[in-house]
Amino acid sequence: MIKLVAAAALAAGLSSAVSLSAHAEPGANNGTWSVELVTESGLCSARYSYALAIRQGQVQLVSGEAGARVSGHVGADGSVGLAVSNGTASGTGTGRLQAGTGSGTWKVASLCSGRWTARRRNDRTAQAD
């Protein structure tokens, strides 16, 4: 469970880590993002990989371990804020996305913490008309 929450937190943090200019159009970060979480301290596994989808500023988990829940928001400026939970464990992630990449930090209570990086995949999510 700790692994899932840490990975989800990182992924969320990934989703959380985005930096765009203040002039960015809504949905500029729309698409699927590959996120990698690296544990820097604590009891979590060393590395996690997840896929997150961003659609009109909302973040959703595309692939990951069963039972994980991710919610979050990406601002027009690329700032990311995420909340992740799995059972009784929960974590947060923050960061920025910019020009198809992103980075930030994540933390699961007092269990573990680390950093995340994200890269937009080529298969962008379709935008609603």
Side-chain angles (χ1 to χ4, degrees):
M1 179 191 305
I2 292 174
K3 291 180 183 180
L4 173 57
V5 173
L10 278 180
L14 303 10
S15 305
S16 314
V18 183
S19 162
L20 297 177
S21 74
H23 307 291
E25 65 183 64
N29 287 309
N30 282 356
T32 304
W33 292 74
S34 295
V35 177
E36 183 175 35
L37 295 77
V38 176
T39 301
E40 295 180 324
S41 67
L43 304 172
C44 299
S45 292
R47 189 173 302 266
Y48 303 93
S49 295
Y50 283 83
L52 297 176
I54 300 172
R55 185 170 186 75
Q56 300 307 324
Q58 299 301 308
V59 178
Q60 296 178 339
L61 182 64
V62 172
S63 68
E65 297 181 38
R69 294 182 185 183
V70 176
S71 62
H73 183 76
V74 176
D77 66 349
S79 61
V80 179
L82 298 173
V84 179
S85 65
N86 186 359
T88 59
S90 62
T92 59
T94 60
R96 292 208 169 273
L97 297 178
Q98 180 176 2
T101 64
S103 62
T105 59
W106 60 271
K107 182 173 184 169
V108 176
S110 60
L111 297 175
C112 52
S113 62
R115 59 185 167 82
W116 60 263
T117 57
R119 181 167 303 279
R120 186 193 321 251
R121 293 182 177 178
N122 288 333
D123 57 330
R124 290 184 50 123
T125 301
Q127 295 186 23
D129 291 315

